[in-house]
Structures are given as structure tokens and as C-alpha cells.
Amino acid sequence: MKAAFRTAAGLAALISTTAQAAEPACFTRAEVNSLIAYALPVVMDPMIASCRPHLASDAYLLSGGQRISEVLAARKDTEWKAAKAAVMRVWGGSKELDMPDNVLQASLNEKVTKELAGKLKASECKDISAIAAKLSPLSPDQLVDLAGEIIVVAVRDRKSKAGAMICQAN
Amino acid sequence: MRALALTLSLISLASSQAAMAADAACLAPREATAVASYALPSVIAGTSQRCSPVLGKDAYLTREGMKLSARYGPGKAAAWPAAKAALLKMGGAGDMTDAVRKLPDATVQPLVDGLVTSMVVEQMPTDRCSSIDRALWLLSPLPPENTAELIALSLGLMAQGKNPRIGRIAICKG
């Protein structure tokens, strides 16, 4: 589970590698959702691959989790545009972001895959699969909304970079 | 989680002796889950009462809060024995706890339900109503048993962390 959080944090850190210090701008709820909608399949695919050896063949993550990832991945071009625009607006431009989108996306995928490969323990995979199964009545869009809400609430009132990054009015 | 903390603090409201016990004891994740599962309908009802005037008529809690509370009602009976044991544990040893232990469930349950609801109504910060409304709306498609199991999983994960607590109630380390 920690690895998943590390990956999400790494994804944000990668995009902001050369970004300027935090501007007063912040991510709106819609932008947070776009970032999550793009990032979820990027994280889930290597997570599923990493967990496959630890899980029973009928584990929810390997079937339902894969379906959710596929649904979100099918619209990754739209989500990418919105997510990148949000990052550019809040953190400003950088040399890395000036790369062609396909190169930047491939770089992100590679780094996330490297971060997750073989690092998830069996217990973490079972927890992730169990939580995903309990959330299975939610649609992919509802999952994205819920994840966004959890992030917004988690960072609210925090006197940290993460707290400043998410608009308090969300 | 705030609602869970309020619920778990019930016994500590009853007496200072119980408050001391609440500081010393910890609840295992399954015990805290039982309390949460039992108290959820009352917590949701109390939250609806507290937040509806703040949120307005179009909010999810205003429109559907009491229905959601009723939907969670059937799970209370199964959760009660473990929830009662956990609440008595938080009460610690003493006359008050013994007295509560001896009371019939039919007497204790309405007392607990009323206390939970009134605590939420009195203490829930209204600046959180909007977030709670949205979270409950987002979670509303889940069957109640899934929500209970998510709470159990979350508490189990929390118990693996450093100094796990919900408010002033300690969760026993896993």
C-alpha cells in the first residue's frame, strides 16, 4: 500500500522535477480528478503485474482492477491533456514538460513501473485487492471522485506543500 | 473517523473513571469496527440533522440522509454484541460499567443510539458538512456490508502504523 502512495507521490514529483517553487495557484477539484484519472491506470497496470504472483488467480485486483484500469486508460488522451494543463497552470513550465507528450508519457510509465516492480509485498497486494473488491460497486468515475475527495480532505488545513497545492475552496 | 471517535468516547462521557480507562485501553481493529458498524445509522442520522440546515435542501444529506441511515439499520443487530463488549471495555472496571453491563440490551441500545446522535448533532463542526455530504454521496452506492468491511480494512491498516489513534482512543497495534 505504501508503495502505491510512493508511486503517486513520485508521479507528481517527476512532473514537477524542474518546476518552479509553488505558485499561489492551486489544483481545483476537477484538476485533481483529471490527475487521478490519468495516474490510476499508470499506477494500476504495474501494480497488478507486481501483485499477480502474490494473488490467487480469481483475486479481484486481477480481474475487476484490470477492467477499471482499461476503462480509464481508454480515455487517457483526454485526461492527459487536462492533467498536463493543470500541472502547467499550477507549477509552470519546465524543460521536461516541453518534451513531446508520447515521450513524457513513456518516461512516466517507465519510472512508475520501475518503482513498483517486485516491491509490493503479498500482504500489501491482498489488502489492495480486498479494498478494491469492496469498492467494486462504484464505477471508474465514482472511484476517481472518491479518490479525489480523500486527497482533498487529507491535505486540507495542512501547513505543507501538499496542503498548499490543493485549493482550500475545494 | 470523527464520528467514530465521538462514538468511541461515549463511555468516557459517562464517568471520569471511564475516561481514565479510555486513555489506558486500546480497541482492536475488529472491536472498533463493531462499534462503528453499530453506530453508523445513528451517526448518519445525527449528521443529517446537524448538516441539513447548513447545506440546504439540495444537498445529498438533506434529501437522502435519513434513508441512508435506515439502509444501514439492519446491520446493527449483528454488530451489537461485539460493539457492546468494546464499549464496556472502554468503560473499564467500575460500578458504572457493571451497572451498564447488567442492563438489558433493549434498555442500553436506545441510550447508546440517542447519545451518539445527540453527540454528533452537538459536536460535529459544521464547516465539515460539505465534505461529509460529498463523501457520503460518493459512498452511497456501496452496500452497507462493504462499507463495514472497508472500515475494518482501514482500521487494520491503521493499526500497523505508528501510535494508531482515532481521536483520544488508541487502536491496538496489529
Side-chain angles (χ1 to χ4, degrees):
Chain A
M1 188 62 71
K2 281 178 188 167
F5 288 124
R6 276 202 309 271
T7 304
L11 197 65
L14 174 67
I15 294 172
S16 67
T17 305
T18 57
Q20 300 301 308
E23 295 286 318
C26 55
F27 292 108
T28 65
R29 185 184 295 278
E31 289 172 336
V32 169
N33 283 5
S34 288
L35 286 162
I36 292 168
Y38 179 77
L40 262 183
V42 172
V43 173
M44 282 182 77
D45 287 348
M47 180 190 286
I48 290 167
S50 186
C51 281
R52 194 174 294 279
H54 300 306
L55 295 173
S57 58
D58 60 350
Y60 178 79
L61 186 65
L62 305 182
S63 52
Q66 186 72 58
R67 276 196 301 277
I68 289 166
S69 178
E70 285 165 6
V71 169
L72 291 172
R75 55 183 216 229
K76 72 172 188 176
D77 289 346
T78 309
E79 301 297 355
W80 169 259
K81 280 179 192 160
K84 188 179 173 188
V87 169
M88 296 286 282
R89 186 184 69 76
V90 175
W91 288 338
S94 73
K95 279 185 185 173
E96 288 216 357
L97 289 173
D98 284 341
M99 286 194 290
D101 283 354
N102 60 338
V103 176
L104 187 50
Q105 287 176 351
S107 168
L108 279 170
N109 287 348
E110 186 188 329
K111 293 194 184 216
V112 172
T113 301
K114 198 174 165 189
E115 172 71 23
L116 281 177
K119 291 186 184 166
L120 287 169
K121 296 176 195 164
S123 60
E124 290 175 322
C125 290
K126 284 173 187 163
D127 285 340
I128 292 167
S129 189
I131 289 170
K134 300 308 166 202
L135 291 170
S136 63
L138 303 183
S139 69
D141 281 331
Q142 288 170 322
L143 270 181
V144 168
D145 276 347
L146 182 62
E149 186 66 23
I150 290 169
I151 289 173
V152 167
V153 170
V155 305
R156 182 173 287 158
D157 300 333
R158 285 203 181 172
K159 309 287 182 208
S160 63
K161 274 187 182 175
M165 224 186 285
I166 311 285
C167 300
Q168 292 293 312
N170 267 319
Chain B
M1 281 304 169
R2 177 179 289 274
L4 180 55
L6 289 173
T7 309
L8 295 177
S9 301
L10 267 176
I11 294 295
S12 55
L13 273 187
S15 71
S16 58
Q17 169 200 22
M20 287 165 62
D23 283 338
C26 65
L27 286 187
R30 62 183 161 70
E31 294 172 322
T33 301
V35 175
S37 299
Y38 178 79
L40 261 178
S42 301
V43 169
I44 295 169
T47 307
S48 293
Q49 285 179 44
R50 174 73 161 165
C51 290
S52 291
V54 179
L55 294 169
K57 63 182 172 59
D58 293 332
Y60 174 76
L61 268 173
T62 309
R63 290 182 290 109
E64 302 288 335
M66 297 315 285
K67 276 189 216 164
L68 185 68
S69 169
R71 199 152 67 80
Y72 277 80
K76 286 176 67 174
W80 172 248
K84 183 183 179 186
L87 290 169
L88 290 170
K89 177 182 171 183
M90 294 309 296
D95 294 343
M96 175 70 80
T97 307
D98 284 344
V100 172
R101 195 189 310 273
K102 286 172 188 164
L103 289 171
D105 287 349
T107 304
V108 179
Q109 284 178 334
L111 181 70
V112 172
D113 294 351
L115 268 172
V116 171
T117 303
S118 63
M119 283 172 71
V120 173
V121 169
E122 287 164 19
Q123 298 186 25
M124 176 77 71
T126 52
D127 63 350
R128 292 290 180 259
C129 285
S130 184
S131 291
I132 293 166
D133 182 59
R134 195 171 157 78
L136 287 175
W137 171 65
L138 288 168
L139 290 169
S140 63
L142 298 182
E145 54 272 26
N146 285 36
T147 309
E149 286 166 28
L150 279 171
I151 291 171
L153 283 164
S154 303
L155 288 167
L157 288 172
M158 186 192 283
Q160 293 168 28
K162 214 182 268 182
N163 191 25
R165 304 187 74 83
I166 301 174
R168 54 191 290 243
I169 307 299
I171 302 298
C172 308
K173 277 189 79 70

